[in-house]
Each structure stands twice: as structure tokens, then as C-alpha cells.
Amino acid sequence: MTSKDNIAPIAPPPTHRLKVDKDALANNWKALDALSGSASTGAAVKADCYGLGTDVCVPTLRNAGAAMFFVAHWSEVLALLPHVEPVQIAVLHGPMTAADVDFALASGVRPVINSLQQAQRWAEKGGGPCHLMIDTGINRLGVEPIELSHGVLQSLDVDCLMSHLACADEDNPMNGEQLAIFREAANKIAHRRLSLSNSAGIALGKDYAFDLTRPGIALYGGVPRNELASCIRQVAYLEAAIIQVRNLTAGDSVGYNSEFTADGSMRVGTVSLGYADGFLRARGPGFRLMHSGNELPVLGKVSMDMIVVDLAQTPEVSEGDWLNVPFYLPDAAQQSSVSQYELLTVLGKRLRNC
Ligand SMILES: *Cc1c(COP(=O)(O)O)cnc(C)c1O
């Protein structure tokens, strides 16, 4: 056999990994389903399941019982089709072009209609069952309640009539205001189901659940409201290996722009994790990696593919040893001032291939 033979070489094991705890993911869906009361519970699976990987997460959510799957883009649909029925998929951005409508009709995936123009585009090609987003105050996508009497909307075959809460993660009067607007709007157009709540909305109570809830972040271990802290488990675990150990002496600096300088001799480890993996610079100084309960403070700036940690507390670790990267989202968000959503969705593609 020569190297020209067409056999793909097997990739050697990586030096960092993202582990998705499928049991925790299923647990979180079930906990949110229980909190949703008599409403059925879907799953927001946009952005490759918030960075954790569609192929791992969607079958787990489907097997747990998720009824509907929400993506933002039409380009996200193909990755879902091997796992769920087309009618279970809703595309939140709706049809922006005739090609989007053609794709929806050919695949059986349902659009969320967000404007009169989108409704027109859908109806022109024959349309069929769709979902309809009403804007009740977030002012991103959706038809205005006052537009609901418009003929093209009245002629739609609306399965799920939806709206989206702007401030569900806070105690904000806007929640009640949006609820009232949504209830009133629901009387103005025929529909089969109503849906208002994201993860945080589910924690606002039964009034907000209607027929279908749409959790996202809490499925993946985010805790957008304290009420959810007791039932939501961490899903994403991050580990990275030490790829070199070195000894510094007083005056030696570490990393770009020499932001850390040793004031005495110290042993440090270079770890295979960087901002290209989603370990942002905001998580650098003050952040710690862990090894068997010991803390390893990050030194200096986070590089694209590496960070350097202080091994003072862990004289036993050496090249090839694995470190845990604390990734309980509420704590990581507080430590870095990066939102729980962003911490997940910036996770690098490189980590997911492990
Ligand atoms: C992303 C999204 C959700 C899920 O929101 P979380 O805050 O992640 O639970 C639900 N509905 C819509 C319309 C969304 O865009």
C-alpha cells in the first residue's frame, strides 16, 4: 500500500474536547416540559444547538419527547432532516425569497411568517400550513397586532401563532404587557396553537405557557432565571490538555504583550485551548482551570490556540495531563461578563470534531 491509496487516515486523538452530557440535556428538556404544564414543549436548536452540535443534541431532544424544533435560517434545516420530521421544523426568519418558499414546499418544513411581505410570498406559491410571529414589543421580527386584520394574513393557514418575550429573564412589567397584547392578538386571527415562552418565559408561570413552549438556553445548561437553577443541569463540559510545561524565572513574561511577568521562579503549563475554540480573552485574567480540585490560574493573554496556566498548586501535573475548564454557565458568565448564550455559541467548531 502506498500513501496514494485512497484510504482516509484516522485522525489522532485531539488535545482538547467538548463533552455534551446527553442525560443532562434530556433531563433539562423534561424539567422544562414539566414546568410547561399542559403545554407541549419544543426546542430551539438554532446555531447548531447553541454551539453544542445538532447531531448530538437533536436526537437526544427528540428521544426525550421534544415536539417542535426551531432554527433561524433555512440553511440550518438540512442538518435536522435526518433526525426529525419536516413538519416538526420551524424556520424563525421566514421566507425572505421565493427560493425559500420553494425549499419549504419541497421539504415540508414550515416557515414562521414575520411580515405582510413574507405572507404574500408564501401565499403566492400556494402556501399551506405555516406559523405566524406577532411582534408584541421586542421589535425585531413579526407582524404588528394592528396588521392582523389584513386579508393576506387572514387567509393564512396558521398552525402556531407566536410571539417572543423581550425581558423574560428579568422581573419587568414588559412581561405582563406582552402577555396581554399576545392574548388580545390571539382573538384576531385563526390558529391551531399559541406559543410565547422561551426558557425564561417558562419560569414566569403557567399563564405564559399556552400550547407550546420554545426553550433554548436552559436545555443546554443555561440558567436565565434563578427559578430554574435547581432543575437545570450543566450539559457542556470542556477539557484541555497541557501540551508543554516550562519553568520561568523572575522577570520572564508570558504571552502576547507580556501581560504577565513572573516575580520569582515558577512552573507553568501551556494548554491547548484558545479564543479560536471560544475561550475568549474575557475569560483570561482571574479565571482558573482545575485539576483534581486544584486551581490553575490563567496567566497573561489568551492566544488563538493556547493559554498558559500557573502550576504552583499542581506540581504533579505534566505534559499530556488533562485539565477541566469550569463551564457552569451562570458562573462563567458572571466571571467573564459574557452572556451565557454567547459563551455557548462561540464555542469553536474545532472542539466539536472531537
Ligand atoms: C432563540 C429563541 C427561543 C429560545 O430562547 P431561549 O432564551 O434560548 O430559551 C425561543 N423563541 C424564539 C423566537 C427564539 O428566537
Side-chain angles (χ1 to χ4, degrees), residues 37-285:
S38 59
S40 70
T41 303
V45 296
K46 57 199 182 189
D48 203 17
C49 289
Y50 289 46
L52 297 186
T54 297
D55 287 340
V56 177
C57 296
V58 168
T60 304
L61 292 164
R62 177 202 62 209
N63 293 346
M68 286 275 295
F69 297 84
F70 295 90
V71 290
H73 293 261
W74 295 97
S75 60
E76 298 181 292
V77 167
L78 289 180
L80 290 183
L81 286 175
H83 306 299
V84 300
E85 295 300 321
V87 298
Q88 294 178 286
I89 302 172
V91 178
L92 290 163
H93 286 189
M96 296 305 302
T97 63
D100 292 343
V101 175
D102 291 341
F103 179 78
L105 294 173
S107 63
V109 170
R110 291 183 177 174
V112 177
I113 302 293
N114 292 290
S115 66
L116 294 176
Q117 293 88 330
Q118 287 195 348
Q120 195 68 48
R121 207 170 278 139
W122 181 243
E124 264 165 19
K125 294 225 177 205
C130 61
H131 310 296
L132 180 63
M133 176 68 78
I134 313 173
D135 175 52
T136 54
I138 195 168
N139 279 305
R140 301 188 311 188
L141 290 177
V143 300
E144 294 306 316
I146 197 162
E147 294 176 315
L148 287 172
S149 57
H150 202 287
V152 71
L153 295 182
Q154 289 291 327
S155 69
L156 290 177
D157 179 358
V158 179
D159 173 2
C160 198
L161 185 66
M162 304 168 37
S163 191
H164 193 61
L165 296 166
C167 309
D169 58 346
E170 315 169 64
D171 292 328
N172 188 312
M174 186 138 176
N175 295 326
E177 288 159 21
Q178 286 193 271
L179 177 64
I181 295 169
F182 185 57
R183 281 203 175 116
E184 201 181 309
N187 294 322
K188 297 189 176 148
I189 189 155
H191 57 267
R192 289 196 271 292
R193 300 184 284 176
L194 293 172
S195 176
L196 179 62
S197 283
N198 60 353
S199 303
I202 292 171
L204 294 177
K206 284 201 190 76
D207 285 353
Y208 289 78
F210 294 95
D211 302 309
L212 172 70
T213 57
R214 311 187 303 269
I217 190 72
L219 296 171
Y220 310 107
V223 181
R225 288 188 66 96
N226 276 337
E227 294 91 331
L228 298 175
S230 60
C231 65
I232 294 301
R233 279 165 50 189
Q234 182 173 344
V235 172
Y237 290 85
L238 206 47
E239 297 171 329
I242 296 180
I243 54 176
Q244 194 168 119
V245 172
R246 55 203 313 122
N247 294 302
L248 306 183
T249 55
D252 286 345
S253 65
V254 169
Y256 287 117
N257 309 115
S258 314
E259 280 189 3
F260 175 82
T261 303
D263 54 14
S265 56
M266 64 190 292
R267 197 169 163 261
V268 302
T270 302
V271 180
S272 177
L273 188 71
Y275 58 76
D277 306 302
F279 191 85
L280 304 177
R281 285 196 167 163
R283 302 189 75 194

Side-chain angles (χ1 to χ4, degrees), residues 288-319:
R288 287 157 164 69
L289 269 50
M290 303 295 294
H291 184 270
S292 305
N294 292 311
E295 297 186 342
L296 296 79
V298 175
L299 305 174
K301 262 190 185 156
V302 175
S303 297
M304 187 181 294
D305 316 300
M306 287 171 272
I307 46 178
V308 175
V309 295
D310 184 353
L311 301 180
Q313 281 194 35
T314 52
E316 75 286 3
V317 307
S318 56
E319 188 182 311

